[in-house]
Amino acid sequence: MRKERIGFAVCGSFCTHARVLEALKQVTEIYENVIPIASESAAFTDTRFGTSEDLLGKMEELTGREVLFDIPSVEPIGPKKLLDALVIAPATGNTIAKLAAGITDSAVTMAAKAHLRNGRPVVIAMASNDGLSAGASRIGELLVRKNYYFVPFGQDNAIQKPCSLVADFSKIPETLDAALRGEQLQPILLT
């Protein structure tokens, strides 16, 4: 097992949670110290895809740790240098826009801000219905910023949702490994 300390933050793209939990399982099989984080939306919203209680329970079962889901619980990530890398999966268009604008009003955006102060990698596994429309400029801003690394992504349903972009969540461990070496996994755009 690898010793790096990994934060794994889950946001509200609820239809992707099953795939994200599988990726979290893969990460916990590689890294012995994984800290689960959930956005307030993911932590407290029940949807047709499942209950928030079930999501948090699965995250805690996989990591063996309590899920952090509020600003005070994640703020120490920075000053205490608690993480070597932070994964945000799914990173919604809302979260990506907030990161690009420097807005820290949620557990996930605060975790990223706190972590970035130490110059360490943030891995973005996006799921955004407007990635090729309103969200495109925000994605572009993060693509050129230091310490942001993207899990390879592409259109998930070009005919019915032509602006939607989704990461290949199975590539999270590979992208994380590359990010810890300061490299962007390529190719970044999937066909």
Side-chain angles (χ1 to χ4, degrees), residues 7-164:
F8 198 103
V10 175
C11 294
S13 180
F14 302 99
C15 63
T16 66
H17 283 176
R19 288 179 284 160
V20 167
L21 287 170
E22 183 55 39
L24 175 57
K25 181 177 187 277
Q26 292 174 327
V27 170
T28 62
E29 290 169 352
I30 299 167
Y31 300 91
E32 66 181 46
N33 191 358
V34 180
I35 298 171
I37 301 164
S39 71
E40 290 80 348
S41 177
F44 299 111
T45 306
D46 296 340
T47 71
R48 63 187 172 102
F49 300 103
T51 67
S52 56
E53 183 179 339
D54 190 41
L55 173 67
L56 298 180
K58 287 176 182 170
M59 291 175 71
E60 289 177 355
E61 180 183 326
L62 288 168
T63 63
R65 295 174 169 270
E66 256 185 63
V67 177
L68 308 178
F69 52 78
D70 59 19
I71 289 174
S73 66
V74 299
E75 186 276 333
I77 287 171
K80 293 184 178 181
K81 298 183 179 178
L82 297 178
L83 303 176
D84 294 301
L86 173 64
V87 175
I88 304 176
T92 61
N94 186 50
T95 297
I96 289 169
K98 288 179 180 185
L99 292 171
I103 297 170
T104 54
D105 64 351
S106 74
V108 173
T109 55
M110 176 56 80
K113 175 185 177 180
H115 176 67
L116 283 165
R117 75 184 258 178
N118 298 315
R120 295 178 178 169
V122 174
V123 173
I124 302 288
M126 81 168 80
S128 174
N129 283 327
D130 70 350
L132 289 176
S133 58
S137 64
R138 304 301 183 237
I139 293 165
E141 286 181 48
L142 293 188
L143 281 168
V144 298
R145 284 208 195 148
K146 187 176 179 181
N147 298 317
Y148 281 100
Y149 300 86
F150 278 74
V151 176
F153 60 88
Q155 290 178 279
D156 59 317
N157 186 341
I159 303 304
Q160 293 180 338
K161 299 189 310 181
C163 295
S164 182

